[in-house]
Amino acid sequence: AAPGGLASFHCSARRLRAARVAVVLSGCGVYDGTEVHEASAILVHLSRGGAEVQMYAPDVPQMHVVDHSKGQPAEAESRNVLVESARIARGKIASLAKLTTADHDAVIFPGGFGAAKNLSTFAVDGKDCKVNREVERVLKDFHKAGKPIGLCCISPVLAAKVLPGAEVTVGHEEEEGGKWPYAGTAGAIKELGGKHCVKEAVFSLTPSYEAHVDTKNKVVTTPAFMCETELHNIFDGIGAMVKNVLKLTGK
């Protein structure tokens, strides 16, 4: 055999086994789009897991634009979700309308208020929210195909709305002195028809401590920035979610 032939064979074999994962973004920036740290953590863990990644976002206007230095809406300014998401994707992104189950083994949704503002109307309408048509299609298609769905932070509300009875976590159900400032979301998940499971957002030797796996629906969730904790805990919790998603692909 030619020098390096065996190594090339093993590399090719790994590529054949690699899970193909779609990551759905909702803009760029925690207050009106994707939470950047969460997206980055997901991409790092997917890379470490050997996955092939393609990023997508809906080609729609943002609900509004927030000046992140002030935490206030920027009046008379508008941005496009796909265009803003391309900042995180380093330009390598496609319209969500092009995402199909045939091309991917799993799909993951980072959090950030964009999930509640641009992928759905949850931020405004709560339990009566509507989900973006393409987001709803993707969630239903992957669920029907028996392919895993990963979500973190606020994005589990999407699964709770679209997949009745799905088990998800957004962390704890009480604020606990400000440690879980968005704890009320757990109640909304129940009103949406989902089942909420309490989980932590700190490192544990048992990955299930940080992420919840709904084996029946193949939905994997983790609290991420729903908790006021150190960044490395967020990173590790997302890692537990990604690890379980990849495991469910069987690749």
Side-chain angles (χ1 to χ4, degrees):
L6 186 58
S8 297
F9 170 80
H10 287 312
C11 286
S12 297
R14 281 197 297 270
R15 282 196 294 271
L16 287 173
R17 294 195 300 269
R20 300 168 298 170
V21 182
V23 176
V24 180
L25 305 179
S26 61
C28 182
V30 59
Y31 298 129
D32 59 10
T34 303
E35 213 299 321
V36 179
H37 295 294
E38 291 178 6
S40 181
I42 287 168
L43 296 174
V44 169
H45 287 296
L46 285 173
S47 176
R48 184 169 289 151
E52 296 177 1
V53 177
Q54 172 63 52
M55 283 172 270
Y56 296 87
D59 188 2
V60 297
Q62 291 185 185
M63 179 187 125
H64 63 181
V65 177
V66 174
D67 180 338
H68 281 58
S69 69
K70 300 176 181 177
Q72 298 293 330
E75 301 298 334
E77 185 174 348
S78 63
R79 298 187 185 184
N80 178 278
V81 175
L82 177 62
V83 173
E84 291 301 295
S85 297
R87 295 175 180 272
I88 297 174
R90 297 174 63 88
K92 297 178 181 179
I93 195 163
S95 170
L96 188 58
K98 297 181 179 179
L99 173 52
T100 67
T101 56
D103 295 330
H104 300 284
D105 300 302
V107 62
I108 295 179
F109 292 78
F113 281 104
K117 292 179 177 180
N118 304 326
L119 303 188
S120 72
T121 64
F122 181 78
V124 176
D125 300 323
K127 67 180 180 61
D128 297 318
C129 68
K130 293 181 175 60
V131 175
N132 171 278
R133 182 178 60 184
E134 292 297 337
V135 172
E136 182 174 3
R137 175 188 64 79
V138 167
L139 288 169
K140 287 183 175 179
D141 285 354
F142 273 80
H143 183 255
K144 183 178 180 180
K147 295 185 175 183
I149 300 166
L151 310 103
C152 66
C153 197
I154 192 69
S155 66
V157 299
L158 302 172
K161 176 69 175 182
V162 175
L163 307 174
E167 297 178 0
V168 301
T169 188
V170 289
H172 282 209
E173 299 180 356
E174 301 292 336
E175 291 188 18
E176 299 177 20
K179 182 179 179 181
W180 296 91
Y182 310 107
T185 306
I189 282 171
K190 296 173 184 177
E191 291 180 318
L192 286 168
K195 179 181 178 181
H196 185 259
C197 302
V198 173
K199 289 289 177 177
E200 301 296 336
V202 296
F203 175 74
S204 168
L205 294 177
T206 305
S208 62
Y209 191 64
E210 306 158 277
H212 181 73
V213 182
D214 178 349
T215 53
K216 177 182 177 181
N217 292 296
K218 291 191 175 181
V219 173
V220 187
T221 51
T222 193
F225 278 104
M226 298 298 277
C227 181
E228 289 290 336
T229 187
E230 291 82 4
L231 182 59
H232 66 274
N233 288 327
I234 307 297
F235 185 88
D236 291 341
I238 288 173
M241 181 266 286
V242 170
K243 181 178 180 180
N244 279 290
V245 166
L246 293 178
K247 183 178 180 180
L248 286 172
T249 68
K251 298 285 180 148

